[in-house]
Amino acid sequence: MMPMHPAHRHPLQTLQEDREAVILADRLGFHDAFVGEHLTDRCENITNSFIFLATLIGETQTIKLATGTSNLSHVHPALIAAHAAMFDHLAQGRFIFGVSPGALASDAEALGILDEDRNKIFAEAIDVILAIWERDPPYDIQFPGNRFKVSTARTQLPEFNRGAMYKPYQKPRPEIVGTVVAPHSKGVIAMGERDFHPMSANFLLTHWLPSHWHNYAEGKKKVNKKADSAEWRIARTIFVADDDRLAQRYAKEDAASPYRFYWDKLRGNMMRAKRHVVFKRHEGEDDAAITMERLLDELVICGSVSKVVDEVLALREQAGDFGELVYASMDWVDPALAKRSMELMAREVMPRVNHAIGVPDHCRSA
């Protein structure tokens, strides 16, 4: 979940709704729950994914709780390293560290970094986070060209255990996942080199997906390792109902459809950020072709169980083999329909999909 809700809804309601969605996902056997964060968009109600996810540790049993993402340009990496390691202990290893630079321009302006290269800040921050987890005090982290310096050499008191930071519960570290948006993203090559795992975003057309796998495999090859398709997640927008007509109405036709709201907002965000190539059939396609109806048609998988199974299998044919299908959560305009979709996804769609592709019969959607 990004998550995304209409601006008129009160955060008191939407935050509880989002918690309920994760708790239900846990009960249904979903593998993990990625939760995003933004500071300055009223439609996206979670400002810190660690705080939100911490409220769910005691409410869930098996689902992995994942930052989706922690925006590394927003905070000093020493803080992120310490908070992520502590969360990993609180969750006893049920934690996935999802990371990104942070893409929202108004967040960057609020933090005074609008004119800075957030991708560069991100790269510097992740290097420092990993170094903190790998080294012992006093750390003495001073990488060339990296703005972040970390040391406790002047003030540490080893005899009193002062000057040391948490290391993660998971050894050597939690799984690190990066969301990939751009077609042919070069960042995925770096992920392969560093053993970070890619998650292809739900808002790019399916034909761009193989470019992510190709680049991830290239990165793995550079460090003499073989890419494992189990490490690749693909997110999609999915709605399952008891009949096709109901699914079509709620997911695409109804003016109050949460899917229509979501894609209207995403379309505007991507167009303003000049990142709308993700919606194009080829890079030279005219912007006028990116209509709401086409986005709903091409980026929303919806229907009865049988129809959704067929569409998921078709997705796999086009994208290639991948390890996990990530189910994008929407606002609960109709809570009964939203919950029913998750139940059908877990109990009927995924078992049929897994049977068809010959993998163990358990839910691998998030």
Side-chain angles (χ1 to χ4, degrees):
M1 57 176 68
M2 292 185 67
M4 191 179 287
H5 303 279
H8 69 266
R9 295 196 64 197
H10 197 287
L12 184 66
Q13 295 176 321
T14 58
L15 289 168
Q16 292 308 314
E17 181 179 298
D18 293 335
R19 292 182 75 255
E20 190 178 346
V22 177
I23 293 166
L24 176 60
D26 176 63
R27 183 162 59 81
L28 292 170
F30 281 57
H31 184 261
D32 40 55
F34 287 85
V35 177
E37 62 183 31
H38 280 306
L39 301 176
T40 59
D41 189 327
R42 286 187 62 189
C43 293
E44 298 190 46
N45 57 339
I46 291 174
T47 59
N48 184 294
S49 51
F50 284 118
I51 294 174
F52 177 81
L53 291 169
T55 73
L56 290 160
I57 293 171
E59 301 278 357
T60 56
Q61 299 297 318
T62 60
I63 196 167
K64 289 202 169 188
L65 303 171
T67 54
T69 64
S70 183
N71 296 327
L72 300 191
S73 67
H74 292 184
V75 182
H76 194 287
L79 285 172
I80 295 285
H83 295 338
M86 184 186 79
F87 188 94
D88 198 26
H89 282 269
L90 287 170
Q92 297 181 54
R94 283 197 295 123
F95 171 54
I96 298 171
F97 188 34
V99 295
S100 79
L104 196 62
S106 54
D107 284 0
E109 183 181 8
L111 294 167
I113 57 171
L114 182 60
D115 298 322
E116 296 196 44
D117 183 344
R118 278 165 276 157
N119 287 317
K120 185 174 188 297
I121 298 173
F122 167 81
E124 293 171 358
I126 196 67
D127 285 345
V128 170
I129 290 167
L130 293 175
I132 289 171
W133 289 349
E134 290 163 1
R135 297 185 184 188
D136 293 320
Y139 305 107
D140 291 330
I141 298 167
Q142 296 189 53
F143 297 127
N146 191 314
R147 75 196 68 200
F148 301 113
K149 317 296 180 189
V150 179
S151 176
T152 59
R154 293 172 58 194
T155 57
Q156 70 168 338
L157 296 171
E159 65 273 28
F160 297 108
N161 295 300
R162 195 175 85 180
M165 284 184 277
Y166 267 103
K167 292 190 185 298
Y169 176 87
Q170 298 175 77
K171 303 303 178 192
R173 59 163 172 78
E175 179 185 9
I176 297 177
V177 172
T179 301
V180 190
V181 178
H184 308 290
S185 168
K186 299 301 181 189
V188 192
I189 299 174
M191 285 187 197
E193 291 178 293
R194 306 193 70 173
D195 195 32
F196 300 170
H197 298 161
M199 177 164 66
S200 298
N202 62 307
F203 35 86
L204 79 163
L205 296 183
T206 305
H207 71 275
W208 295 120
L209 294 174
S211 73
H212 290 176
W213 175 251
H214 178 271
N215 283 6
Y216 181 65
E218 182 182 331
K220 284 286 190 182
K221 188 176 180 181
K222 283 188 172 186
V223 292
N224 298 313
K225 293 183 179 177
K226 185 175 174 59
D228 183 351
S229 60
E231 298 166 349
W232 182 27
R233 292 170 170 87
I234 293 178
R236 293 289 93 174
T237 307
I238 301 171
F239 176 66
V240 197
D242 288 297
D243 66 78
D244 291 326
R245 186 72 201 95
L246 173 61
Q248 181 74 13
R249 178 187 64 76
Y250 188 71
K252 296 183 179 180
E253 296 173 355
D254 195 321
S257 165
Y259 296 84
R260 184 170 283 275
F261 162 75
Y262 178 90
W263 285 106
D264 182 55
K265 185 93 162 58
L266 255 293
R267 179 176 175 272
N269 287 353
M270 289 298 196
M271 297 287 272
R272 284 187 291 273
K274 309 295 184 189
R275 302 174 75 192
H276 53 289
V277 67
V278 297
F279 299 145
K280 294 188 174 187
R281 290 172 180 163
H282 57 85
E283 292 184 19
E285 187 175 32
D286 194 281
D287 290 357
I290 306 172
T291 64
M292 265 293 295
E293 299 312 315
R294 189 172 104 177
L295 293 184
L296 289 166
D297 220 30
E298 299 193 2
L299 288 169
V300 178
I301 295 173
C302 72
S304 60
V305 169
S306 294
K307 185 171 184 292
V308 172
V309 168
D310 289 344
E311 291 198 37
V312 170
L313 292 173
L315 164 70
R316 187 171 177 272
E317 273 297 310
Q318 191 169 357
D321 193 17
F322 59 97
E324 185 169 299
L325 178 64
V326 182
Y327 176 102
S329 181
M330 301 287 117
D331 183 76
W332 284 6
V333 170
D334 186 323
L337 289 179
K339 293 175 188 178
R340 180 64 174 157
S341 177
M342 291 176 67
E343 290 168 356
L344 290 171
M345 189 73 193
R347 292 173 176 163
E348 298 196 36
V349 172
M350 290 311 299
R352 294 193 200 181
V353 168
N354 287 333
H355 178 75
I357 64 177
V359 302
D361 185 17
H362 61 282
C363 182
R364 289 287 289 161
S365 55

